[in-house]
Amino acid sequence: MGTYDARSIRGQFPLLRDYPQLSYLDSAATSQVPDCVLEAGTPNIAGAVGFARACDFLASLDREALQVHTRELCNQVIDLVSSLRGARILGPQEPGSHDALVSFVLDGVHPHDLADALGERGVAVRAGSHCAMPIHQELGVPASLRVSFGAYSTEGDVERLAGALLECWEELR
């Protein structure tokens, strides 16, 4: 079974033209069409249709309004995390400085443990180095917790995060 995302494989025609025929279970069924030489299985039609619909949805959004919305949610998280003793925002702390995500650490609590505890309470966050290990090393932290927002995120999500974060921090520190 292959991946579930929409992809394509292309090659140079002279190389594909000279590629040996592929035989399937039925030896009488072979393919000499270059574009089919490297294609296996059923194309991911659902993935392509879903990707197109996602593009349509994103194109329909008012990007400025979305940025204002996610920035306000980030401001609320920055206020929340800044109010916790031993918490540290990674990056700028000024209002309006984060557009869609906030990364932070809590002293004495490993981000992976905190992410697991939040997940048990129905709050989805990401923990890890987020493909930014050098900056984590520079900051002296093994990993961080990342909260991100999008078009569907609400102030209720931040409120759920706040309640769960306070519970988890009391439990884990």
Side-chain angles (χ1 to χ4, degrees), residues 16-24 26-40:
L16 293 174
R17 183 188 59 227
D18 297 334
Y19 201 83
Q21 292 182 351
L22 298 177
S23 296
Y24 304 99
D26 178 358
S27 61
T30 59
S31 172
Q32 296 179 11
V33 180
D35 287 339
C36 296
V37 170
L38 298 176
E39 185 177 319

Side-chain angles (χ1 to χ4, degrees), residues 4-7 43-53:
Y4 288 96
D5 58 315
R7 294 181 181 201
N44 185 7
I45 297 165
V49 170
F51 182 67
R53 297 301 266 174

